Amino acid sequence: MSDFIYHYPTLYPGILLKRYKRFFADVQLTSGEIVTAHCPNTGPMKGVYIPGNPVQLSKTDNPKRKLAYTWEMIQLHDNEPTWVGVNTGLPNKIIKLALQKYIFPELGRYDEVKSEVVYGQDRKSRVDFCLLSEEKAINLSNQLDTTPFPLEDCWNKNRRDKAVRCGGSLRYSNCRAENAEERAKERLVILDGNKSNYVEIKNKSLLMKDNRPIYLEVKNTTWTDKRLALFPDTETTRGQKHLRELMAILPQNRGVMLYFINRSDCTHFAPGDNADPIYGKLLRQALSMGLEVLPCRFETTPVGVKYLGLAELQI
């Protein structure tokens, strides 16, 4: 995907001198001037806070702001030179823009995007986004090739996208499944309860009639081990609570944890067990209960932010 989801305003390059009191960062601009910028990241910034590295600042003309500059990104050299976004206020804004453009096909179809929705067992939590669908049930009768074919006989040159029994398992589109019925749900449906005959769905998306609300939480991710993105980078009781809240709404609703990998040099994602083993345990438990995890890779540059696709999940 080549389009920018988000465009930065004019940025000012400089060199990071120091960060202190969590919210302040001293930066020497290319002009030689030393300015104090707001640091919009309250975490430890593990592996990201490196004095002497290039940074980019944005600037506001708002007279009510005590600090005109905001620290937006830093360039790291863990792999190839890579800009890493440090403004934790941006990921939710970017994800909202992405949701409005339907950039994530894994979410399916939805009609409304709501932000900061109250939910949870005590109704005191807020989820980043709630996606709602108004789609009605679809009659599939006109979307089927109703000519049945035996599963064992369907493999030939004209039906290479169908299924075939192979060594006691089912091979389907270069995939394997031990249970033929489970794989059939991807593109084939059983006809009239006869488990030996199948019909082909002409439009696969018509099988996706899941109208459950989607509760989606976003987590900014910058800590890495080589090309493996890790979250969290410190113990997070708040993050643990978010996982418990999402587990509580399953399976009546869909729960999605979206990890915003705010750098382009990572290809894989895993929970940061060394920083917070409880979070890692909860994430694996949530996955077993049906939580959906989207480790989304983004490229951050001084021009803007692009979506690169999903990282490989390592659990």
Side-chain angles (χ1 to χ4, degrees), residues 17 24 31 47 91-92 130 132 173 207 218 240 246 296 313:
L17 300 180
F24 302 97
S31 64
N92 278 32
C130 183
L132 302 175
S173 297
L207 281 179
V218 180
Q240 295 169 15
L246 287 175
C296 297
L313 182 62

Side-chain angles (χ1 to χ4, degrees), residues 176-307:
R176 298 179 69 87
E178 296 301 325
N179 188 320
E181 292 181 37
E182 290 181 3
R183 178 53 63 187
K185 292 177 183 177
E186 292 291 327
R187 191 169 179 180
L188 309 172
V189 293
I190 298 172
L191 181 66
D192 296 330
N194 186 340
K195 295 185 179 182
S196 63
N197 288 335
Y198 290 76
V199 293
E200 180 183 1
I201 299 286
K202 293 299 184 183
N203 187 343
K204 178 181 174 181
S205 65
L206 293 178
L207 281 179
M208 301 173 63
K209 298 188 296 179
D210 191 344
N211 295 333
R212 292 177 298 167
I214 302 173
Y215 290 83
L216 187 150
E217 190 72 29
V218 180
K219 297 297 181 187
N220 186 54
T221 304
T222 57
W223 184 33
T224 67
D225 179 6
K226 297 180 180 178
R227 297 194 181 275
L228 177 66
L230 300 164
F231 183 91
D233 63 354
T234 188
E235 182 180 0
T236 169
T237 55
R238 185 168 180 265
Q240 295 169 15
K241 180 182 179 182
H242 289 160
L243 284 174
R244 292 188 178 99
E245 296 283 25
L246 287 175
M247 283 190 280
I249 58 100
L250 300 172
Q252 294 84 359
N253 306 276
R254 290 174 63 189
V256 178
M257 186 64 76
L258 189 152
Y259 294 97
F260 190 107
I261 303 175
N262 213 335
R263 52 193 299 168
S264 60
D265 59 346
C266 293
T267 56
H268 296 70
F269 172 84
D273 293 317
N274 290 338
D276 190 343
I278 295 177
Y279 185 93
K281 181 179 180 180
L282 285 171
L283 179 59
R284 293 175 178 88
Q285 179 184 351
L287 277 167
S288 69
M289 295 175 61
L291 179 73
E292 301 168 48
V293 173
L294 298 181
C296 297
R297 301 175 59 235
F298 291 88
E299 180 182 12
T300 297
T301 73
V303 176
V305 178
K306 297 180 181 180
Y307 178 53

Side-chain angles (χ1 to χ4, degrees), residues 111 133-139 206 208-211:
D111 301 292
S133 174
E134 298 176 356
E135 184 180 5
K136 305 300 182 182
I138 300 175
N139 186 347
L206 293 178
M208 301 173 63
K209 298 188 296 179
D210 191 344
N211 295 333

